[in-house]
Amino acid sequence: MTQRTLVLLKPDAVKRGLVGEILSRFEAKGLSLVAMELRTIDSTHSDGHYAEHVERDFYPPLRDFVTSGPLVAVVLEGDEAVDVVRLLNGATDGRKALPGTIRGDLSLSNRENLVHGSDSPESAAREIALWFPGLAD
Ligand code: IDP
Ligand code: MG
């Protein structure tokens, strides 16, 4: 089933010059670019994106991280795009993510783990509306 999902190449990906490397993995898999923008977000936008996590202990440093510099927000489309992106991203903790995944190959951190991918079609719809209101369907 064709789906859309919201992907972030987080500020560590931009700072480390890994945007091309990471985007090329999604493109090589066969996912299509629907929208893409380099953007620096403020804490209000971070709170909206991470609404389910704002009360967690790890959230304040996560908010500092995602607002620390430009990131690349992307909408990708393809067959089962939500789950496919999360498989390509790998486990949250880069130290534990499997080799072959983006985090497993390129991240050594539980926080600075390079990428975000929506965790369900419902989250994808909410996140796409937040990041790209013009795309809402
Ligand atoms: P996900 O990005 O794999 O869906 P979530 O549990 O939704 O993981 O957490 C959102 C983000 O918060 C993670 O990608 C990571 O950057 C950060 N994070 C999650 N858990 C921790 C933690 O225990 N320590 C530090 N950062 C964390
Ligand atoms: Mg998540």
Side-chain angles (χ1 to χ4, degrees):
M1 187 183 43
T2 297
Q3 292 176 333
R4 288 182 175 183
T5 189
L6 189 278
V7 174
L8 301 177
L9 312 190
K10 296 179 182 180
D12 54 335
V14 175
K15 282 198 189 77
R16 292 176 59 196
L18 291 172
V19 170
E21 157 81 31
I22 294 169
L23 269 182
S24 74
R25 292 183 181 217
F26 294 127
E27 289 189 300
K29 185 68 173 174
L31 296 163
S32 302
L33 286 167
V34 174
M36 181 162 72
E37 187 182 333
L38 185 74
R39 197 189 295 184
T40 302
I41 62 167
D42 62 17
S43 45
T44 302
H45 192 86
S46 175
D47 293 354
H49 175 73
Y50 284 120
E52 65 177 337
H53 293 321
V54 289
E55 303 300 331
R56 305 284 289 275
D57 287 348
F58 67 74
Y59 183 66
L62 173 63
R63 181 181 52 207
D64 290 345
F65 164 52
V66 296
T67 60
S68 67
L71 53 72
V72 179
V74 185
V75 176
L76 292 177
E77 185 173 82
D79 191 28
E80 297 191 24
V82 169
D83 285 348
V84 167
V85 162
R86 289 188 59 96
L87 280 170
L88 293 179
N89 285 356
T92 302
D93 187 340
R95 298 166 299 189
K96 299 186 173 67
L98 291 175
T101 66
I102 291 164
R103 289 161 168 171
D105 287 348
L106 302 171
S107 168
L108 195 57
S109 170
N110 197 16
R111 178 179 305 120
E112 302 200 6
N113 57 5
L114 298 168
V115 277
H116 165 84
S118 306
D119 64 10
S120 67
E122 294 72 28
S123 297
R126 187 186 75 79
E127 293 170 5
I128 290 168
L130 176 70
W131 287 85
F132 294 98
L135 276 186
D137 47 13

